[in-house]
């Protein structure tokens, strides 16, 4: 039974890391796709 619990815990950790990575990538993609970064550079 402990083997199943350990497998579930590892699976949850993998999902959590994947979620955090996907969230950061999506945030970066949306920031660069809206054109806010080049607009800031052009304003300076």
């Amino acid at each position: 039974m402990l083997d199943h619990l350990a497998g579930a815990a590892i699976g949850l950790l993998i999902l959590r890391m994947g979620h955090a990575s996907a969230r950061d990538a999506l945030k970066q993609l949306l920031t660069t796709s809206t054109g806010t970064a080049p607009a800031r550079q052009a304003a300076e």
Side-chain angles (χ1 to χ4, degrees):
M1 182 166 168
L2 290 177
D3 191 33
H4 295 295
L5 290 175
I10 291 172
L12 289 174
L13 287 174
I14 291 171
L15 284 174
R16 182 177 166 199
M17 294 286 288
H19 179 263
S21 178
R23 184 181 60 212
D24 291 342
L26 186 60
K27 187 186 306 182
Q28 184 179 10
L29 179 66
L30 290 175
T31 301
T32 57
S33 69
T34 58
T36 56
R40 288 183 192 155
Q41 290 175 354
E44 292 175 1

